[in-house]
Structure formats: structure tokens, C-alpha cells
């Protein structure tokens, strides 16, 4: 066996064992939305990604890998003259991550451009989950926030509640439109012991996957040993009560488009406090939306059945 092959297989084995350990061998069990606060005594083990903005060259390989891994239409334009010169892209229901150039002042007051990868931040205590009246947004036991199109009634509360403006609605989808957002490759890759596609595809090591506590430890070490390279801020350590996506940068985050007005305390308790004061209204809304969605689904099923019977009759 070649040395490199052995190294690769050992690495693969360790990676699988790590992910199996994270999953506790139970797969991606899903908690009810209202039990988010009660679960997981510590978020230290949450599968996370450390994004080092100083290492990102804006090649957008991660965007392409995300689409391929999640069966999303891949029209990523990789034909620009040099990485980082792309036209800006937006998150969409069928585009779960984007990398865009952002220009702002560094700590010396010089105007610089950095490439910023954006996706669902995988909040440790997600507001999108806490506001969803039908449990279509759920936090898996492993950590990633999952979305179920089967349950979704299209109320778009999650869109309004997300502090990072992440979930996107399929506006052309009519009454049966769906929401789209990064689910950290939970179904497609993490469950099989594989890395998120974006992290695996990055050619520069700008994306590093691991346990949240290990990544925080590494991020602090990088800041300490290279103070000339990094500002002393890990974005996502505290924002929105903490997120699984963590960022390091040499430019103040607020200067390159990161939201600086995000609360540093978890928001779901506030949501639940409000909802608990209006349980009848919350229940009624969920019931109303559920009934509307159920009748529309039923009507669509009946229409499909009629169309299929008419086709059979004409044959
Ligand atoms: S970033 Fe938004 S969509 Fe993602 S988990 Fe947090 S609240 Fe939910
Ligand atoms: S973790 Fe997976 S779903 Fe999320 S941005 Fe990366 S490749 Fe896409
Ligand atoms: S693959 Fe890596 S270097 Fe390329 S755009 Fe994505 S994060 Fe940046």
C-alpha cells in the first residue's frame, strides 16, 4: 500500500469515526421545535465550519460543490477572468450558498476587497425553528437546522425571523412554493460520515469542518499567534447566541457586509415568551394555515387524479 493511500484511508477513517461520534450512532434524530432549548447540554460538539476570510480566493468552487451535492440547478459561472471578479450572486431557494466580493476599510483605513461566503449560519438556538408554526424547520439532534417541504405551509415566518436574512422563498412556485436554505449537507453527506461538500471542495483551506469547540480553540490560536493577520473577533461565537458557522478575518466584519446589529443573546426564548402569551392566537394561526394547506394539497391531488383518469380514458 502506498504511503499516501494509507494516509488518505486513515484520514477517511478518522473523519468517519468523528462524524459517527457526533451522531451518537443514531443518525439525524429530529427534535420538536419547542424542545430546542431543552436539548444538548453543551454546543461544544456541534458540527461546525470555520471560514478564514483571509484564505478565500473567491473561486466559487464551494458554490458549485453545494449545488452538485444537493441536486440544485448548477449555473455557477466560473468563467470570469480571475477568481473574485464575479458578478454578485444572491441566496435563493435553489442556491444555498454564495461567495461575493465585499469592499471596505481595513484597520489601517485602506480600502480592500475580500471574498465572503454566505449560507445559513446554523444558529445554536435558531429563531427560524422557534417561529415555525408547523414544525417544518427543525433542529436535528446532531445540530444542523433541517427543513421539511412536506410540512411547510408557506407562511414565511422563518424568513421574517432569521437574523441573517437566510431562508429564501420560491416566489414562482405559487401556493406550493418551498423554502430553500443550507442544511449543512446533513442528509446528503454528514449522515454518511462525509464532510459538507463546500468544505471538502475548497482548494485553499478557507473552510475547515470540525467540532465547534475545536474550531473555536483553533481560531483563538490563529488570532493569538498571528495578531498582524487577524482582528480579535470570531464572528458567530456570540452572534445570535452562537452559530455553527464561524468566521475569522483581517478586516472588521461590519466593514465587509457582516451584520453588526445581531443580538448576542439567543432569540428563541423571546419568541417563545411572546408566543406563550398568545397561545390561542398561535394555535389558531397554525390551525388556519394547516387547514388552508391541507385543502390546497387535497385539491391538487384531486386535480392530478382527474388529469390522469382523463388521459387514460383518451388512450
Ligand atoms: S441563520 Fe437563519 S435560517 Fe439559519 S438557523 Fe439561523 S435563524 Fe435559521
Ligand atoms: S454545508 Fe452543504 S448545504 Fe451548506 S453551503 Fe456547504 S455544501 Fe451547501
Ligand atoms: S472554495 Fe474556498 S477559496 Fe474558493 S470561494 Fe469557496 S471558500 Fe473561497
Amino acid at each position: 500500500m502506498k504511503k499516501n493511500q494509507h494516509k488518505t484511508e486513515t484520514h477517511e477513517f478518522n473523519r468517519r469515526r468523528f462524524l459517527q461520534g457526533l451522531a451518537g450512532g443514531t443518525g439525524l434524530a429530529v427534535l420538536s421545535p419547542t424542545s430546542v432549548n431543552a436539548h444538548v447540554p453543551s454546543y461544544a460538539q456541534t458540527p461546525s465550519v470555520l471560514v478564514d476570510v483571509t484564505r478565500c480566493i473567491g473561486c466559487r468552487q464551494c458554490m458549485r460543490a453545494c449545488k452538485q451535492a444537493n441536486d440544485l440547478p448548477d449555473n455557477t459561472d466560473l468563467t470570469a477572468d480571475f477568481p473574485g471578479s464575479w458578478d454578485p450572486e444572491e441566496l435563493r431557494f435553489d442556491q444555498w450558498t454564495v461567495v461575493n466580493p465585499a469592499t471596505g476599510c481595513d484597520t489601517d483605513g485602506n480600502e480592500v476587497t475580500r471574498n465572503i461566503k454566505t449560507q445559513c449560519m446554523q444558529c445554536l438556538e435558531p429563531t427560524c425553528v422557534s417561529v415555525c408554526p408547523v414544525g417544518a424547520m427543525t433542529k436535528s439532534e446532531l445540530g444542523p437546522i433541517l427543513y421539511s417541504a412536506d410540512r411547510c405551509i408557506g407562511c414565511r415566518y422563518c424568513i421574517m425571523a432569521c437574523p441573517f436574512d437566510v431562508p429564501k422563498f420560491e416566489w414562482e412556485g405559487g401556493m406550493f412554493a418551498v423554502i430553500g436554505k443550507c442544511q449543512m449537507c446533513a442528509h446528503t453527506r454528514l449522515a454518511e460520515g462525509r464532510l459538507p461538500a463546500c468544505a471538502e471542495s475548497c482548494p485553499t483551506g478557507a473552510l475547515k469542518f470540525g467540532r465547534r469547540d475545536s474550531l473555536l480553540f483553533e481560531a483563538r490560536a490563529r488570532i493569538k499567534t498571528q495578531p498582524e493577520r487577524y482582528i480579535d473577533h470570531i464572528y458567530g461565537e456570540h452572534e445570535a447566541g452562537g452559530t455553527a458557522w464561524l468566521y475569522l478575518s483581517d478586516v472588521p466584519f461590519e466593514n465587509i457586509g457582516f451584520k453588526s446589529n445581531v443580538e448576542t443573546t439567543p432569540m428563541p426564548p423571546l419568541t417563545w415568551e411572546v408566543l406563550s402569551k398568545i397561545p390561542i392566537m398561535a394555535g389558531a394561526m397554525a390551525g388556519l394555515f394547516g387547514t388552508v394547506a391541507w385543502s390546497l394539497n387535497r385539491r391538487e391531488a384531486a386535480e392530478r387524479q382527474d388529469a390522469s383518469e382523463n388521459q387514460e380514458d383518451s388512450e
Side-chain angles (χ1 to χ4, degrees), residues 120-123 126-128 145 162-164 166-167 181:
C120 169
M121 293 288 284
Q122 303 294 346
C123 301
T127 322
C128 57
I145 315 309
C162 174
F164 299 104
V166 167
K181 74 165 199 75

Side-chain angles (χ1 to χ4, degrees), residues 51 55-63 99 115 117 198 201-207:
V51 183
R55 295 187 186 185
C56 178
I57 57 171
C59 65
R60 285 188 169 171
Q61 293 295 337
C62 51
M63 281 179 66
V99 179
N115 300 292
K117 183 180 184 299
C198 57
S201 71
C202 179
T204 65
L207 309 177

Side-chain angles (χ1 to χ4, degrees), residues 27-313:
L28 289 165
V30 171
L31 298 173
S32 77
T34 48
S35 67
V36 173
N37 252 359
H39 104 104
V40 190
S42 152
Y43 292 121
Q45 295 191 352
T46 298
S48 301
V49 179
L50 176 62
V51 183
D52 189 332
V53 170
T54 70
R55 295 187 186 185
C56 178
I57 57 171
C59 65
R60 285 188 169 171
Q61 293 295 337
C62 51
M63 281 179 66
R64 168 158 288 174
C66 176
K67 290 176 176 187
Q68 290 174 345
N70 293 289
D71 284 331
L72 300 170
D74 180 16
N75 54 0
T76 317
D77 179 12
L78 299 179
T79 58
D81 289 343
F82 59 91
S85 65
W86 327 108
D87 289 335
E89 288 273 359
E90 291 184 339
L91 292 179
R92 297 192 307 260
F93 79 96
D94 61 354
Q95 180 161 273
W96 297 351
T97 185
V98 293
V99 179
N100 283 324
T103 301
C105 285
D106 66 10
T107 47
D108 295 326
N110 300 316
E111 196 170 88
V112 294
T113 299
R114 297 289 178 263
N115 300 292
I116 309 299
K117 183 180 184 299
T118 311
Q119 68 297 302
C120 169
M121 293 288 284
Q122 303 294 346
C123 301
L124 301 181
E125 300 205 10
T127 322
C128 57
V129 172
S130 72
V131 298
C132 181
V134 292
M137 287 282 182
T138 49
K139 183 173 167 77
S140 66
E141 200 169 288
L142 187 57
I145 315 309
L146 309 179
Y147 166 72
S148 167
D150 291 345
R151 290 186 187 178
C152 180
I153 54 173
C155 69
R156 284 162 268 164
Y157 281 5
C158 56
I159 293 178
M160 291 182 268
C162 174
F164 299 104
D165 192 24
V166 167
K168 298 297 173 202
F169 191 62
E170 181 192 15
W171 290 101
E172 301 79 25
M175 295 302 289
F176 303 100
V178 295
I179 299 282
K181 74 165 199 75
C182 156
Q183 298 173 76
M184 218 175 196
C185 292
H187 297 113
T188 48
R189 298 175 65 96
L190 292 197
E192 297 170 2
R194 301 161 73 199
L195 304 187
C198 57
E200 191 170 80
S201 71
C202 179
T204 65
L207 309 177
K208 180 163 185 182
F209 178 77
R211 281 172 50 138
R212 190 169 186 270
D213 56 351
S214 305
L215 294 181
L216 280 173
F217 184 81
E218 178 163 345
R220 286 191 200 108
R222 285 192 208 173
I223 292 171
K224 191 169 177 190
T225 55
Q226 300 172 79
E228 71 293 345
R229 178 167 180 154
Y230 299 107
I231 56 163
D232 188 8
H233 182 179
I234 305 168
Y235 192 90
E237 181 175 15
H238 301 299
E239 280 76 10
T243 60
W245 281 77
L246 303 162
Y247 288 76
L248 276 179
S249 172
D250 57 339
V251 181
F253 288 104
E254 61 275 20
N255 295 357
I256 43 176
F258 284 74
K259 290 185 185 292
S260 57
N261 58 351
V262 178
E263 297 285 336
T264 51
T265 49
M267 284 170 274
L270 181 63
T271 314
W272 290 321
E273 194 184 318
V274 173
L275 284 177
S276 69
K277 287 190 177 132
I278 48 171
I280 296 171
M281 187 185 293
M285 292 290 279
L288 176 64
F289 280 129
T291 306
V292 170
W294 176 79
S295 11
L296 288 170
N297 281 335
R298 202 159 162 248
R299 194 173 70 192
E300 190 196 39
E303 282 169 2
R304 278 211 195 109
Q305 171 111 20
D306 284 351
S308 143
E309 283 170 7
N310 288 342
Q311 192 176 4
E312 277 171 20
D313 288 349

